[in-house]
Amino acid sequence: MNGEALCIGVDLGTSSVKVCALGANRRVCAEVSRAYEVDAPRPGWREIDPERWWEATCNALDALVAQLRGAPVAAIGVTGQMHTLVPIAIEGSALRPALMWNDVRTASLLDEVRDRLQAADAYESLRSVSTGSAALNLFWMRRVEPELFDRLKCFLIGPDWIVYKLTGVLGTDFCEASTSSLFDTKSRTWSDAARAALGLPEEIFPQIRGSLEIAGDVVSSVHIPQELVGVPVIVGTGDNPAAAYPLGCLTEARSALSLGTSGVLMGVRHARRSGSQGSCQDSQHAADAVFTADVAQDADLPGKTVLFSPHGRHFIELVQGSIQSCGSTRAWLIERICNTKDYAAIDQDIDRVATGRGELMFFPHMSGEKTLFSDPSLRGAFFGLTPETSRADLSLAVMEGIAYGFKQLSECMGIPADTSEPVLVTGGGSKSAIWLQILVDVFGLPMQAAGSVSAGFGAALMAQQAACETTSFSLQGLGDPIEVDPEAHLRHMAAYQKYLGLIEVVRLVSG
């Protein structure tokens, strides 16, 4: 490694942790991943012992450091799955298994929580609360596990746990706080109204800091490579802002689609408050180019506001919505139903001329839906199956169904509008050329793949920016823009109207 100081990124994903080392030239010089299993003790429940994360992270870091061959590490950045709740006990250990972002055990309490938030005039929390959010999960713990709740010292979100284990410091960033349904984006503090409405004690709320601030240094541990002891660790952020950071989404007014386990649509606007605490100079031009809706009317639109701040002084607002089942649905079809892991081979079997015909339709919300319908009971469905249906037909229908879901999401959220720059597409799904073309033709907008730019890369880059005290970088790792096929776009628009007509039928059947 020629003795250059490196920065490490840790990405705590749903099914694995990925760590990478970034050189001064912004190139990944080493990377390691370690998988783990998520527990499902009951239908719809998703939880995991946080120590399982920590064991996998330490194992991955140990293997990564071995690859670095003594090269010094300047800083560590941590990112990962958003929303996942980690309750910390008074003695400092994990109080219970972490409640995952895709856990729906709280569905029966959702209406009561909404009523409480509405009665308390906590409208921002009311608009964003859903299964998987910290607000609802904490209320569930208070109601269902009162003895454990009484021992609660503090709650963290998934990647905060890794920062805590590395440094011994409890805290979170503005991104994780603002997506908890317990935050007031206007005052940029925890919402007293939401807290009181749900009966949550003030002392369990962690300190909020900027994502590039130093949380602390790595403390000595039998599990941590000694080469990392004393290395500063930044506060970090959620995986979606971390992936957006190196692409310039936070400063260049670019919308992005993430085709990961879940699918996420993100856009950017500058913060509403004026003055030194309320805007980011780098993003003053960002809002109008991305959003079709007036900022003052955003409260009437679906989508969750995500606040991002490097140092707690300047703020940028993202708005994001999700398709709960995205890459996980494609993996289900190809790996479990088609019994193969050769995604490329199935893509090659698809007749590209057949795209957008609408003969076989797929409704993608296999494990409920948050942003559009806030309905955890929704399930997926195929329409138009025949004895001649092939695995390529099923795969095409799944990709088109998810694309139509994103199209509906973008229309309801008001993004993306006719942007001057192509929409960026990240995540594992961006490796599929045919899926990218389908998305382009469904949206009627050019897009660029940025599959090599991961959340872990973004976390490492943020650590590098913090260590070097610089904020200048340019967009890298983008593919060539993919242009719209006008004929395919017309076919997809007709199929999309058919897709919209199926929604009430599916919701009726789902009960």
Side-chain angles (χ1 to χ4, degrees):
M1 301 300 172
N2 299 322
E4 69 172 283
L6 306 171
C7 288
I8 289 176
V10 179
D11 177 14
L12 186 72
T14 301
S15 57
S16 67
V17 62
K18 298 169 279 292
V19 299
C20 66
L22 189 67
N25 59 359
R26 291 190 60 200
R27 293 189 180 277
V28 173
C29 54
E31 51 189 339
V32 176
S33 66
R34 293 291 184 267
Y36 36 72
E37 294 290 331
V38 174
D39 298 325
R42 299 184 189 178
W45 291 31
R46 298 289 184 275
E47 62 183 38
I48 186 171
D49 182 352
E51 289 294 343
R52 199 178 303 167
W53 285 337
W54 179 235
E55 181 181 355
T57 300
C58 291
N59 189 296
L61 286 172
D62 193 56
L64 184 77
V65 167
Q67 292 185 34
L68 302 184
R69 301 175 184 175
V73 175
I76 298 173
V78 180
T79 184
Q81 53 187 285
M82 297 166 64
H83 311 299
T84 293
L85 182 79
V86 186
I88 305 299
I90 294 172
E91 59 270 22
S93 59
L95 184 59
R96 69 170 324 283
L99 298 171
M100 298 287 289
W101 60 270
N102 55 353
D103 185 290
V104 296
R105 73 183 67 189
T106 56
S108 63
L109 297 175
L110 186 54
D111 287 342
E112 179 183 349
V113 166
R114 285 175 174 158
D115 289 341
R116 286 171 171 259
L117 293 172
Q118 185 170 18
D121 294 334
Y123 294 112
E124 185 173 359
S125 296
L126 173 64
R127 186 170 68 91
S128 64
V129 71
S130 63
T131 57
S133 63
L136 196 52
N137 282 335
L138 285 168
F139 186 78
W140 178 88
M141 279 191 64
R142 178 172 168 257
R143 174 66 58 80
V144 178
E145 299 178 339
E147 294 183 0
L148 284 179
F149 188 83
D150 287 344
R151 293 173 51 208
L152 180 62
K153 174 183 181 180
C154 180
F155 73 87
L156 300 175
I157 309 301
D160 301 332
W161 163 261
I162 300 300
V163 174
Y164 169 57
K165 295 291 284 186
L166 286 169
T167 66
V169 176
L170 294 166
T172 193
D173 83 311
F174 285 94
C175 160
E176 301 290 15
S178 64
T179 57
S180 66
S181 301
L182 292 167
F183 189 80
D184 182 349
T185 56
K186 292 182 180 179
S187 63
R188 300 195 181 103
T189 58
W190 295 113
S191 169
D192 288 335
R195 178 184 60 76
L198 303 183
L200 305 177
E202 187 175 359
E203 58 268 21
I204 71 171
F205 285 72
Q207 180 186 10
I208 309 170
R209 302 174 68 184
S211 300
L212 271 67
E213 293 186 67
I214 302 300
D217 297 338
V218 177
V219 295
S220 180
S221 166
V222 295
H223 303 292
I224 284 290
Q226 287 303 299
E227 295 90 337
L228 298 182
V229 174
V231 172
V233 180
I234 64 171
V235 172
T237 191
D239 52 2
N240 293 321
Y245 188 78
L247 296 172
C249 289
L250 304 181
T251 56
E252 300 296 327
R254 302 192 67 171
S255 300
L257 273 173
S258 174
L259 303 178
T261 301
S262 63
V264 176
L265 174 63
M266 294 183 292
V268 183
R269 62 172 173 248
H270 60 260
R272 287 172 289 210
R273 283 177 60 190
S274 59
S276 61
Q277 295 295 316
S279 63
C280 177
Q281 293 177 353
D282 291 334
S283 65
Q284 288 299 306
H285 63 288
D288 293 337
V290 182
F291 290 86
T292 59
D294 185 86
V295 171
Q297 298 173 340
D298 285 340
D300 297 327
L301 299 174
K304 186 168 288 190
T305 299
V306 181
L307 201 64
F308 178 83
S309 177
H311 301 288
R313 298 186 297 272
H314 302 303
F315 295 83
I316 301 165
E317 285 186 15
L318 294 153
V319 62
Q320 77 171 41
S322 65
I323 299 293
Q324 187 103 331
S325 301
C326 183
S328 58
T329 300
R330 193 161 183 248
W332 160 80
L333 177 72
I334 292 176
E335 297 183 21
R336 296 190 61 183
I337 304 304
C338 298
N339 197 30
T340 179
K341 292 189 177 182
D342 194 343
Y343 287 59
I346 291 185
D347 280 1
Q348 289 174 0
D349 289 340
I350 294 174
D351 181 3
R352 298 188 177 225
V353 180
T355 61
R357 289 182 179 175
E359 295 172 352
L360 178 62
M361 304 288 290
F362 176 70
F363 188 74
H365 304 297
M366 293 185 69
S367 54
E369 202 288 325
K370 292 184 177 181
T371 309
L372 284 171
F373 309 112
S374 190
D375 186 350
S377 70
L378 278 179
R379 295 295 178 262
F382 283 101
F383 296 87
L385 292 167
T386 72
E388 291 73 36
T389 298
S390 67
R391 67 177 192 174
D393 297 329
L394 293 172
S395 182
L396 173 59
V398 164
M399 288 189 285
E400 288 181 334
I402 295 171
Y404 298 150
F406 271 124
K407 174 70 172 175
Q408 185 185 18
L409 190 65
S410 73
E411 290 179 346
C412 292
M413 289 173 58
I415 60 170
D418 293 331
T419 59
S420 58
E421 296 287 345
V423 176
L424 297 167
V425 186
T426 66
S430 65
K431 299 175 183 178
S432 171
I434 188 167
W435 202 2
L436 285 176
Q437 188 65 57
I438 289 169
L439 286 162
V440 166
D441 294 337
V442 168
F443 275 79
L445 291 172
M447 297 185 179
Q448 280 179 285
S452 61
V453 182
S454 65
F457 177 92
L461 179 62
M462 285 192 286
Q464 188 180 78
Q465 300 289 315
C468 299
E469 297 185 347
T470 178
T471 59
S472 61
F473 58 89
S474 58
L475 301 182
Q476 295 185 8
L478 304 182
D480 294 331
I482 303 169
E483 299 298 330
V484 179
D485 179 338
E487 293 185 3
H489 176 62
L490 290 175
R491 293 197 304 270
H492 279 297
M493 288 304 90
Y496 175 60
Q497 294 304 313
K498 182 178 178 180
Y499 168 86
L500 293 177
L502 297 174
I503 292 174
E504 287 306 315
V505 175
V506 176
R507 296 189 73 183
L508 179 63
V509 172
S510 296

